[in-house]
């Protein structure tokens, strides 16, 4: 159904046919397949089947194997039983075993009934026949949730048992168990647990045990989590111990989660090499989701030598500290951005700070720092777009930030900067005047692909039929077929959205 809001203003069927004509004139097989596939969902009845046949013929003609697999992966969501046979024949044209396996696995996600069963069987056959154990494990993981028939599940388990690496075997068995019930589920978890416990390397044992923990319950879960914690603490390298502890913490609850995350932070702080320590703290602080002790939080800033990473790590800690300590850490993060000499790095750091904040007062402080930070236009746009994302819909901060981004975009030093800034900010545009300005800027871009890309970003936010007609005129002004097809497709999708 077309969107009633626009039905009287634009005939979506006419725009669809225009988009299809543009897509069919694209010379490159790969791009033509991509453009046509983007329109399949809007074609109905027998015409859809005919279009899918056309797409599959185009996919088969793509010379590059990677592009051929990518195009078929895109089309897989619209395959029916009739198209499955041809799509599987196309899969067999791929000489790269890894591409074949990953593509077959991806196809199973979209198929149903006999089509899915056939694709799953092919994945299992390929997994059994491959000599690459890592590839075998990844293939089994990819279909673990689609083993509807008990016989296929049994076959997958038999193949999994041939994997000699205990960590991979434990992970695969745990994933199959996740989609199994009753006594069979418990048997699979027991097998996975045995495989994990046989690993000599403490780090490998941690991740294997963590993979199994997700399927356990009650006291058994607590016992295995404690076992994983013991293995993590036995990892001798500080950086690797920090990561291992973090993985255990994310499977823990309550006070145990907080204590284990603090241990991970302590391990990261203990890393001797400056660069490794900075990165470890960057990773750990981003994944923290519980309040940590003030004394630990206070040690992070001095321990991170890279200023951009320091600003981001400190900002992440703001969410996980309380009271006066929180304000002190935020001020330290903002002060860190102020002393970064390079304007691009300063903008990146300030945007990273904004990414971790959600308190309107804290975001407002970032706004004022951005105003006085002597950033270039690109740096300002990066920070202001991040502020638009983090601030609430309809808020004054979002309106101010987007207004200034559009000021920068309206008079760019470089059209590619203009395109990048506009497409990044477009997702958050709400005000009618902002949308009107953004559409005008998009239509003014001289590069054909750039204009189409900008239009695609802005069209998604349009509500006013008059603006949509303006966007259609701009799309029709794109002379390059592949770019015009892309812009017209965005308008078709907007017209076909359900009424909001």
């Amino acid at each position: 159904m077309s969107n009633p809001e626009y039905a009287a203003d634009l005939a979506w069927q006419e725009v669809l046919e225009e988009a299809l004509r543009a897509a069919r004139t694209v010379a490159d097989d790969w791009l033509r397949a991509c453009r046509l596939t983007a329109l399949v969902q809007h074609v109905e009845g027998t015409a859809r089947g005919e279009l899918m046949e056309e797409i599959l013929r185009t996919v088969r003609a793509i010379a590059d194997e990677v592009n051929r697999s990518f195009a078929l992966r895109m089309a897989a969501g619209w395959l029916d039983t009739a198209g499955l046979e041809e799509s599987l024949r196309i899969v067999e044209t791929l000489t790269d075993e890894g591409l074949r396996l990953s593509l077959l696995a991806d196809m199973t996600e979209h198929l149903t009934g006999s089509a899915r069963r056939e694709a799953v069987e092919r994945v299992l056959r390929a997994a059994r026949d491959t000599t690459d154990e890592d590839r075998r494990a990844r293939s089994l993981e990819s279909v673990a949730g689609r083993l509807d028939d008990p016989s296929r599940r049994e076959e997958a388990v038999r193949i999994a048992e041939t994997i000699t690496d205990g960590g991979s075997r434990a992970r695969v068995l745990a994933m199959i168990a996740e989609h199994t019930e009753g006594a069979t589920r418990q048997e699979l978890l027991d097998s996975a647990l045995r495989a994990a416990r046989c690993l000599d390397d403490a780090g490998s044992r941690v991740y294997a045990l963590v993979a199994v923990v997700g399927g356990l319950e009650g006291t058994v879960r607590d016992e295995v989590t404690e076992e994983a914690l013991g293995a993590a603490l036995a990892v001798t390298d500080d950086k690797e111990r920090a990561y291992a502890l973090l993985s255990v913490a994310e499977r823990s609850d309550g006070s145990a989660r907080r204590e284990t995350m603090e241990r991970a932070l302590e391990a990261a702080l203990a890393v001797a090499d400056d660069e490794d320590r900075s990165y470890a703290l960057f990773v750990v602080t981003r994944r923290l989701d519980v309040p940590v002790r003030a004394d630990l939080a206070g040690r992070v800033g001095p321990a991170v030598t890279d200023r951009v990473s320091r600003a981001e790590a400190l900002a992440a800690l703001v969410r996980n500290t309380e009271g006066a300590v929180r304000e002190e850490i935020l001020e330290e993060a903002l002060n860190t951005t102020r002393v970064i000499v390079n304007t691009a790095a300063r903008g990146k750091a300030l945007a990273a700070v904004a990414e971790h904040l959600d308190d309107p007062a804290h975001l407002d402080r970032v706004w004022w720092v951005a105003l006085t930070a002597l950033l270039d236009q690109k740096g300002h746009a990066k920070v202001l777009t991040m502020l638009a994302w983090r601030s609430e819909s309809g808020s004054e901060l979002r309106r101010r930030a987007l207004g200034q981004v559009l000021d920068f975009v309206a008079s760019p030093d470089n059209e590619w900067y203009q395109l990048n800034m506009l497409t990044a900010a477009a997702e958050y545009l709400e005000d009618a005047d902002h949308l009107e300005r953004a559409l005008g800027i998009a239509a003014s871009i001289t590069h054909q692909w750039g204009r189409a890309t900008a239009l695609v970003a802005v069209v998604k936010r349009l509500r006013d039929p008059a603006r949509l007609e303006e966007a259609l005129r701009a799309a029709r002004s794109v002379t390059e077929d592949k770019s015009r097809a892309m812009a017209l497709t965005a308008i078709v999708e907007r017209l076909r959205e359900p009424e909001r």
Side-chain angles (χ1 to χ4, degrees), residues 409-410 418 422 433-445 451 455 458 462 467 470-471 474:
V409 170
Q418 182 181 43
L422 183 59
D433 60 331
H434 285 171
L435 285 164
E436 184 176 0
R437 288 181 67 195
L439 183 56
I441 293 166
S444 72
I445 295 176
R451 187 189 312 164
L455 285 170
V458 175
L462 295 179
R467 296 284 80 78
E470 184 181 342

PDB file of all heavy atoms in Angstrom, residues 409-410 418 422 433-445 451 455 458 462 467 470-471 474:
ATOM      1  N   VAL A 409      27.437  23.394   6.124  1.00  0.00           N
ATOM      2  CA  VAL A 409      27.216  22.644   4.895  1.00  0.00           C
ATOM      3  C   VAL A 409      26.849  23.570   3.738  1.00  0.00           C
ATOM      4  O   VAL A 409      27.175  23.302   2.585  1.00  0.00           O
ATOM      5  CB  VAL A 409      26.106  21.586   5.114  1.00  0.00           C
ATOM      6  CG1 VAL A 409      25.679  20.949   3.809  1.00  0.00           C
ATOM      7  CG2 VAL A 409      26.593  20.508   6.080  1.00  0.00           C
ATOM      8  N   ALA A 410      26.190  24.685   4.038  1.00  0.00           N
ATOM      9  CA  ALA A 410      25.732  25.592   2.984  1.00  0.00           C
ATOM     10  C   ALA A 410      26.879  26.282   2.257  1.00  0.00           C
ATOM     11  O   ALA A 410      26.725  26.725   1.121  1.00  0.00           O
ATOM     12  CB  ALA A 410      24.784  26.635   3.571  1.00  0.00           C
ATOM     13  N   GLN A 418      30.920  18.534   2.236  1.00  0.00           N
ATOM     14  CA  GLN A 418      29.510  18.913   2.248  1.00  0.00           C
ATOM     15  C   GLN A 418      28.632  17.665   2.257  1.00  0.00           C
ATOM     16  O   GLN A 418      27.693  17.547   3.060  1.00  0.00           O
ATOM     17  CB  GLN A 418      29.210  19.763   1.012  1.00  0.00           C
ATOM     18  CG  GLN A 418      27.776  20.280   0.929  1.00  0.00           C
ATOM     19  CD  GLN A 418      27.564  21.086  -0.342  1.00  0.00           C
ATOM     20  OE1 GLN A 418      28.016  20.711  -1.419  1.00  0.00           O
ATOM     21  NE2 GLN A 418      26.890  22.213  -0.211  1.00  0.00           N
ATOM     22  N   LEU A 422      26.387  16.474   5.460  1.00  0.00           N
ATOM     23  CA  LEU A 422      24.936  16.481   5.278  1.00  0.00           C
ATOM     24  C   LEU A 422      24.338  15.103   5.516  1.00  0.00           C
ATOM     25  O   LEU A 422      23.310  14.968   6.191  1.00  0.00           O
ATOM     26  CB  LEU A 422      24.598  16.963   3.867  1.00  0.00           C
ATOM     27  CG  LEU A 422      23.108  17.104   3.540  1.00  0.00           C
ATOM     28  CD1 LEU A 422      22.437  18.082   4.496  1.00  0.00           C
ATOM     29  CD2 LEU A 422      22.915  17.556   2.105  1.00  0.00           C
ATOM     30  N   ASP A 433      12.059  23.906   8.472  1.00  0.00           N
ATOM     31  CA  ASP A 433      13.005  24.815   7.826  1.00  0.00           C
ATOM     32  C   ASP A 433      14.363  24.150   7.620  1.00  0.00           C
ATOM     33  O   ASP A 433      15.025  24.358   6.600  1.00  0.00           O
ATOM     34  CB  ASP A 433      13.152  26.108   8.623  1.00  0.00           C
ATOM     35  CG  ASP A 433      13.653  25.864  10.036  1.00  0.00           C
ATOM     36  OD1 ASP A 433      13.376  24.775  10.581  1.00  0.00           O
ATOM     37  OD2 ASP A 433      14.318  26.758  10.602  1.00  0.00           O
ATOM     38  N   HIS A 434      14.774  23.291   8.579  1.00  0.00           N
ATOM     39  CA  HIS A 434      16.025  22.547   8.410  1.00  0.00           C
ATOM     40  C   HIS A 434      15.933  21.593   7.225  1.00  0.00           C
ATOM     41  O   HIS A 434      16.873  21.473   6.427  1.00  0.00           O
ATOM     42  CB  HIS A 434      16.344  21.762   9.678  1.00  0.00           C
ATOM     43  CG  HIS A 434      16.841  22.613  10.799  1.00  0.00           C
ATOM     44  ND1 HIS A 434      17.006  22.128  12.084  1.00  0.00           N
ATOM     45  CD2 HIS A 434      17.206  23.920  10.847  1.00  0.00           C
ATOM     46  CE1 HIS A 434      17.467  23.087  12.867  1.00  0.00           C
ATOM     47  NE2 HIS A 434      17.588  24.188  12.135  1.00  0.00           N
ATOM     48  N   LEU A 435      14.800  20.911   7.100  1.00  0.00           N
ATOM     49  CA  LEU A 435      14.622  19.962   6.011  1.00  0.00           C
ATOM     50  C   LEU A 435      14.611  20.673   4.663  1.00  0.00           C
ATOM     51  O   LEU A 435      15.180  20.181   3.684  1.00  0.00           O
ATOM     52  CB  LEU A 435      13.326  19.169   6.216  1.00  0.00           C
ATOM     53  CG  LEU A 435      13.391  18.084   7.296  1.00  0.00           C
ATOM     54  CD1 LEU A 435      11.997  17.636   7.703  1.00  0.00           C
ATOM     55  CD2 LEU A 435      14.200  16.884   6.800  1.00  0.00           C
ATOM     56  N   GLU A 436      13.976  21.829   4.620  1.00  0.00           N
ATOM     57  CA  GLU A 436      13.946  22.591   3.373  1.00  0.00           C
ATOM     58  C   GLU A 436      15.352  23.020   2.964  1.00  0.00           C
ATOM     59  O   GLU A 436      15.743  22.904   1.798  1.00  0.00           O
ATOM     60  CB  GLU A 436      13.046  23.818   3.534  1.00  0.00           C
ATOM     61  CG  GLU A 436      12.885  24.618   2.254  1.00  0.00           C
ATOM     62  CD  GLU A 436      11.903  25.769   2.416  1.00  0.00           C
ATOM     63  OE1 GLU A 436      11.349  25.938   3.523  1.00  0.00           O
ATOM     64  OE2 GLU A 436      11.692  26.495   1.434  1.00  0.00           O
ATOM     65  N   ARG A 437      16.122  23.500   3.942  1.00  0.00           N
ATOM     66  CA  ARG A 437      17.496  23.897   3.653  1.00  0.00           C
ATOM     67  C   ARG A 437      18.333  22.701   3.200  1.00  0.00           C
ATOM     68  O   ARG A 437      19.093  22.787   2.231  1.00  0.00           O
ATOM     69  CB  ARG A 437      18.147  24.523   4.894  1.00  0.00           C
ATOM     70  CG  ARG A 437      17.642  25.898   5.255  1.00  0.00           C
ATOM     71  CD  ARG A 437      18.377  26.420   6.468  1.00  0.00           C
ATOM     72  NE  ARG A 437      19.792  26.674   6.171  1.00  0.00           N
ATOM     73  CZ  ARG A 437      20.721  26.853   7.101  1.00  0.00           C
ATOM     74  NH1 ARG A 437      20.400  26.768   8.385  1.00  0.00           N
ATOM     75  NH2 ARG A 437      21.968  27.095   6.761  1.00  0.00           N
ATOM     76  N   ALA A 438      18.197  21.586   3.899  1.00  0.00           N
ATOM     77  CA  ALA A 438      18.981  20.397   3.574  1.00  0.00           C
ATOM     78  C   ALA A 438      18.667  19.897   2.166  1.00  0.00           C
ATOM     79  O   ALA A 438      19.566  19.508   1.410  1.00  0.00           O
ATOM     80  CB  ALA A 438      18.712  19.294   4.595  1.00  0.00           C
ATOM     81  N   LEU A 439      17.385  19.907   1.792  1.00  0.00           N
ATOM     82  CA  LEU A 439      17.001  19.465   0.461  1.00  0.00           C
ATOM     83  C   LEU A 439      17.591  20.376  -0.611  1.00  0.00           C
ATOM     84  O   LEU A 439      18.092  19.910  -1.643  1.00  0.00           O
ATOM     85  CB  LEU A 439      15.472  19.417   0.351  1.00  0.00           C
ATOM     86  CG  LEU A 439      14.901  18.902  -0.969  1.00  0.00           C
ATOM     87  CD1 LEU A 439      15.439  17.518  -1.300  1.00  0.00           C
ATOM     88  CD2 LEU A 439      13.377  18.877  -0.902  1.00  0.00           C
ATOM     89  N   GLY A 440      17.567  21.679  -0.352  1.00  0.00           N
ATOM     90  CA  GLY A 440      18.151  22.621  -1.301  1.00  0.00           C
ATOM     91  C   GLY A 440      19.645  22.406  -1.467  1.00  0.00           C
ATOM     92  O   GLY A 440      20.178  22.471  -2.587  1.00  0.00           O
ATOM     93  N   ILE A 441      20.326  22.139  -0.360  1.00  0.00           N
ATOM     94  CA  ILE A 441      21.776  21.891  -0.416  1.00  0.00           C
ATOM     95  C   ILE A 441      22.060  20.603  -1.192  1.00  0.00           C
ATOM     96  O   ILE A 441      22.956  20.552  -2.036  1.00  0.00           O
ATOM     97  CB  ILE A 441      22.355  21.812   1.005  1.00  0.00           C
ATOM     98  CG1 ILE A 441      22.258  23.185   1.691  1.00  0.00           C
ATOM     99  CG2 ILE A 441      23.807  21.340   0.975  1.00  0.00           C
ATOM    100  CD1 ILE A 441      22.492  23.150   3.188  1.00  0.00           C
ATOM    101  N   ALA A 442      21.282  19.556  -0.915  1.00  0.00           N
ATOM    102  CA  ALA A 442      21.467  18.280  -1.608  1.00  0.00           C
ATOM    103  C   ALA A 442      21.285  18.457  -3.113  1.00  0.00           C
ATOM    104  O   ALA A 442      22.072  17.942  -3.918  1.00  0.00           O
ATOM    105  CB  ALA A 442      20.497  17.239  -1.075  1.00  0.00           C
ATOM    106  N   ALA A 443      20.247  19.200  -3.495  1.00  0.00           N
ATOM    107  CA  ALA A 443      19.958  19.394  -4.917  1.00  0.00           C
ATOM    108  C   ALA A 443      21.029  20.227  -5.619  1.00  0.00           C
ATOM    109  O   ALA A 443      21.174  20.149  -6.842  1.00  0.00           O
ATOM    110  CB  ALA A 443      18.594  20.058  -5.079  1.00  0.00           C
ATOM    111  N   SER A 444      21.793  21.000  -4.842  1.00  0.00           N
ATOM    112  CA  SER A 444      22.799  21.887  -5.445  1.00  0.00           C
ATOM    113  C   SER A 444      24.144  21.203  -5.668  1.00  0.00           C
ATOM    114  O   SER A 444      25.029  21.766  -6.330  1.00  0.00           O
ATOM    115  CB  SER A 444      23.012  23.113  -4.549  1.00  0.00           C
ATOM    116  OG  SER A 444      23.719  22.749  -3.360  1.00  0.00           O
ATOM    117  N   ILE A 445      24.336  20.001  -5.132  1.00  0.00           N
ATOM    118  CA  ILE A 445      25.615  19.298  -5.291  1.00  0.00           C
ATOM    119  C   ILE A 445      25.804  18.941  -6.756  1.00  0.00           C
ATOM    120  O   ILE A 445      24.929  18.344  -7.386  1.00  0.00           O
ATOM    121  CB  ILE A 445      25.659  18.044  -4.395  1.00  0.00           C
ATOM    122  CG1 ILE A 445      25.636  18.471  -2.912  1.00  0.00           C
ATOM    123  CG2 ILE A 445      26.892  17.203  -4.682  1.00  0.00           C
ATOM    124  CD1 ILE A 445      25.568  17.313  -1.938  1.00  0.00           C
ATOM    125  N   ARG A 451      25.075  14.067  -5.390  1.00  0.00           N
ATOM    126  CA  ARG A 451      23.726  14.638  -5.274  1.00  0.00           C
ATOM    127  C   ARG A 451      22.715  13.545  -4.931  1.00  0.00           C
ATOM    128  O   ARG A 451      21.853  13.711  -4.061  1.00  0.00           O
ATOM    129  CB  ARG A 451      23.322  15.324  -6.576  1.00  0.00           C
ATOM    130  CG  ARG A 451      22.003  16.096  -6.478  1.00  0.00           C
ATOM    131  CD  ARG A 451      21.522  16.582  -7.836  1.00  0.00           C
ATOM    132  NE  ARG A 451      22.609  17.231  -8.563  1.00  0.00           N
ATOM    133  CZ  ARG A 451      22.577  17.484  -9.870  1.00  0.00           C
ATOM    134  NH1 ARG A 451      21.524  17.132 -10.587  1.00  0.00           N
ATOM    135  NH2 ARG A 451      23.591  18.078 -10.464  1.00  0.00           N
ATOM    136  N   LEU A 455      20.475  13.237  -1.553  1.00  0.00           N
ATOM    137  CA  LEU A 455      19.012  13.168  -1.656  1.00  0.00           C
ATOM    138  C   LEU A 455      18.464  11.950  -0.923  1.00  0.00           C
ATOM    139  O   LEU A 455      17.443  12.035  -0.237  1.00  0.00           O
ATOM    140  CB  LEU A 455      18.599  13.119  -3.132  1.00  0.00           C
ATOM    141  CG  LEU A 455      18.693  14.433  -3.907  1.00  0.00           C
ATOM    142  CD1 LEU A 455      18.498  14.190  -5.389  1.00  0.00           C
ATOM    143  CD2 LEU A 455      17.670  15.444  -3.389  1.00  0.00           C
ATOM    144  N   VAL A 458      18.319  12.727   2.779  1.00  0.00           N
ATOM    145  CA  VAL A 458      17.329  13.738   3.181  1.00  0.00           C
ATOM    146  C   VAL A 458      15.906  13.250   2.956  1.00  0.00           C
ATOM    147  O   VAL A 458      15.016  13.504   3.784  1.00  0.00           O
ATOM    148  CB  VAL A 458      17.579  15.060   2.418  1.00  0.00           C
ATOM    149  CG1 VAL A 458      16.492  16.083   2.734  1.00  0.00           C
ATOM    150  CG2 VAL A 458      18.957  15.619   2.764  1.00  0.00           C
ATOM    151  N   LEU A 462      11.686  13.481   4.973  1.00  0.00           N
ATOM    152  CA  LEU A 462      10.676  14.411   4.462  1.00  0.00           C
ATOM    153  C   LEU A 462       9.262  13.990   4.847  1.00  0.00           C
ATOM    154  O   LEU A 462       8.920  12.812   4.817  1.00  0.00           O
ATOM    155  CB  LEU A 462      10.784  14.518   2.943  1.00  0.00           C
ATOM    156  CG  LEU A 462      12.084  15.126   2.397  1.00  0.00           C
ATOM    157  CD1 LEU A 462      12.048  15.152   0.877  1.00  0.00           C
ATOM    158  CD2 LEU A 462      12.311  16.522   2.955  1.00  0.00           C
ATOM    159  N   ARG A 467       7.789  19.201  -0.475  1.00  0.00           N
ATOM    160  CA  ARG A 467       9.229  18.930  -0.422  1.00  0.00           C
ATOM    161  C   ARG A 467       9.559  17.641  -1.172  1.00  0.00           C
ATOM    162  O   ARG A 467      10.601  17.529  -1.813  1.00  0.00           O
ATOM    163  CB  ARG A 467       9.682  18.810   1.039  1.00  0.00           C
ATOM    164  CG  ARG A 467       9.552  20.030   1.906  1.00  0.00           C
ATOM    165  CD  ARG A 467      10.622  21.064   1.635  1.00  0.00           C
ATOM    166  NE  ARG A 467      10.353  21.877   0.472  1.00  0.00           N
ATOM    167  CZ  ARG A 467       9.481  22.899   0.456  1.00  0.00           C
ATOM    168  NH1 ARG A 467       8.798  23.219   1.531  1.00  0.00           N
ATOM    169  NH2 ARG A 467       9.287  23.595  -0.648  1.00  0.00           N
ATOM    170  N   GLU A 470       9.727  18.339  -4.752  1.00  0.00           N
ATOM    171  CA  GLU A 470      10.994  19.014  -5.020  1.00  0.00           C
ATOM    172  C   GLU A 470      12.129  18.002  -5.103  1.00  0.00           C
ATOM    173  O   GLU A 470      13.009  18.087  -5.970  1.00  0.00           O
ATOM    174  CB  GLU A 470      11.259  20.037  -3.922  1.00  0.00           C
ATOM    175  CG  GLU A 470      12.497  20.878  -4.114  1.00  0.00           C
ATOM    176  CD  GLU A 470      12.709  21.856  -2.964  1.00  0.00           C
ATOM    177  OE1 GLU A 470      11.748  22.125  -2.205  1.00  0.00           O
ATOM    178  OE2 GLU A 470      13.850  22.331  -2.804  1.00  0.00           O
ATOM    179  N   ALA A 471      12.108  17.011  -4.189  1.00  0.00           N
ATOM    180  CA  ALA A 471      13.124  15.967  -4.201  1.00  0.00           C
ATOM    181  C   ALA A 471      13.044  15.144  -5.480  1.00  0.00           C
ATOM    182  O   ALA A 471      14.069  14.751  -6.055  1.00  0.00           O
ATOM    183  CB  ALA A 471      12.958  15.063  -2.981  1.00  0.00           C
ATOM    184  N   ALA A 474      14.677  16.997  -8.233  1.00  0.00           N
ATOM    185  CA  ALA A 474      16.138  16.931  -8.084  1.00  0.00           C
ATOM    186  C   ALA A 474      16.659  15.561  -8.500  1.00  0.00           C
ATOM    187  O   ALA A 474      17.721  15.451  -9.143  1.00  0.00           O
ATOM    188  CB  ALA A 474      16.529  17.240  -6.641  1.00  0.00           C
TER     189      ALA A 474
END
